[in-house]
Amino acid sequence: MAAAGGLGVLQAGSVRMAAAYFARLGPGQRMGPASWCRRWAPSGAGPGLGRSYGSEAKGEEELRVRYLEEENKGIVVLGINRSYAKNALSKNLVKMLSKAVDALKSDKKVRTIIVRSEVPGIFCAGADLKERTQMNLNEVSSFVSKSRAVINEIGGTQRLPRVIGMALAKEMIFSARVLDGQEAKSIGLISHVLEQNETGDAAYRKALALAREFLPQGPVAMRVAKLAINQGMEVDLVTGLAIEEACYAQTISTKDRLEGLLAFKEKRPPRYKGE
């Protein structure tokens, strides 16, 4: 039986969030949200372990925030760590994620966010249903809204048909079917499926490699490109092209655009500053 890592991308303000997980593949094996890695490095060692914060929950930090350094500078790792609840999204965890993402959105030095699990065997079991049984209707509504604000891919009846088509989305939602990694990739639900490595962090390594590819790109161009894609997917093509043109217009007067042109002329890597 092989283990495979799945990789997708979440959006958060002006930065990209890469989320990764692994699914065990083989006869009769299915994919639920699953952990895709162990801790990348012990506390206090390795790149990006300088700053972190979290809340205590049964002796654990539910969310660990790490700013990577050296060649990975600009990448931030959000490590979910609710092992006793299979990383289910509680009110406290959503609050912590919201606080972290809000802080990162205002940090111009942050280019990419990687969301990972620090619990072997689990990525995220979804909402904390044990906690939800204790919520009233208003609390449930508020929780869903706050969760969607942090992870805007939430909203299966609306987002899933846009990714895989209406007919297949209905089939999956009505049947509550659970897919393995290869099936999820074949319908475009995830971006990559990887053979698991000996350290159990194949998906994280892939996410980190993708994040490194994002780092050299112009921050302004990345921001408006993401805006054009996100908004353009919700409208017709003509309107989408108008959105693209409006987004491009925002880059014309920037120093980064001139730097890109100059770098091309001088045949050197550009030195973007996000200005």
Side-chain angles (χ1 to χ4, degrees):
M1 178 167 53
L7 178 65
V9 175
L10 311 178
Q11 305 297 336
S14 60
V15 295
R16 295 177 63 83
M17 300 176 68
Y21 52 88
F22 82 78
R24 296 191 180 277
L25 304 180
Q29 296 298 316
R30 303 186 301 171
M31 181 184 75
S35 170
W36 48 267
C37 59
R38 301 175 188 170
R39 289 188 62 182
W40 184 35
S43 178
L49 299 184
R51 289 181 282 172
S52 66
Y53 61 84
S55 71
E56 292 299 321
K58 296 193 175 181
E60 297 177 301
E61 291 178 296
E62 291 190 348
L63 183 68
R64 295 169 178 169
V65 182
R66 296 185 177 87
Y67 291 71
L68 304 191
E69 301 294 345
E70 299 172 355
E71 73 274 15
N72 298 319
K73 192 170 184 178
I75 302 172
V76 176
V77 178
L78 301 183
I80 303 175
N81 186 47
R82 295 191 76 220
S83 60
Y84 64 94
K86 297 183 178 180
N87 282 350
L89 296 174
S90 64
K91 290 190 293 185
N92 184 57
L93 181 56
V94 168
K95 180 180 178 180
M96 294 176 67
L97 283 166
S98 178
K99 179 181 177 181
V101 170
D102 284 345
L104 295 173
K105 284 194 295 186
S106 62
D107 188 341
K108 293 183 179 180
K109 295 181 180 179
V110 176
R111 301 294 306 281
T112 303
I113 301 171
I114 296 176
V115 181
R116 69 176 297 185
S117 170
E118 299 194 353
V119 180
I122 290 293
F123 178 65
C124 176
D128 190 331
L129 298 183
K130 290 183 178 179
E131 182 183 70
R132 183 167 292 190
T133 61
Q134 308 300 317
M135 298 182 191
N136 59 42
L137 294 179
N138 290 334
E139 288 176 320
V140 171
S141 178
S142 175
F143 173 79
V144 172
S145 295
K146 290 179 180 178
S147 299
R148 184 174 288 120
V150 177
I151 307 173
N152 61 9
E153 271 67 14
I154 291 176
T157 63
Q158 299 305 304
R159 298 188 181 279
L160 190 61
R162 287 171 166 81
V163 174
I164 65 175
M166 183 183 296
L168 188 54
K170 285 183 177 179
E171 181 180 322
M172 289 184 60
I173 291 171
F174 296 166
S175 66
R177 184 180 304 153
V178 180
L179 305 179
D180 66 28
Q182 293 291 354
E183 289 174 319
K185 186 176 187 299
S186 70
I187 63 175
L189 197 56
I190 60 176
S191 304
H192 301 277
V193 176
L194 309 168
E195 287 296 324
Q196 189 58 278
N197 57 24
E198 293 182 359
T199 55
D201 64 353
Y204 173 65
R205 296 290 178 174
K206 180 64 175 180
L208 191 59
L210 287 173
R212 289 196 190 104
E213 290 186 49
F214 301 157
L215 288 178
Q217 313 309 320
V220 176
M222 291 279 282
R223 182 168 60 248
V224 297
K226 189 180 76 171
L227 179 64
I229 294 169
N230 288 350
Q231 293 191 354
M233 287 299 293
E234 308 299 325
V235 298
D236 61 87
L237 179 59
V238 173
T239 306
L241 290 172
I243 292 172
E244 180 185 73
E245 184 176 352
C247 287
Y248 174 69
Q250 297 180 40
T251 70
I252 293 176
S253 61
T254 64
K255 294 179 181 179
D256 275 4
R257 175 178 173 273
L258 297 178
E259 165 61 17
L261 294 173
L262 184 61
F264 178 79
K265 180 181 178 181
E266 297 177 353
K267 298 181 179 180
R268 60 169 174 80
R271 297 183 287 269
Y272 296 121
K273 296 182 179 179
E275 301 175 352

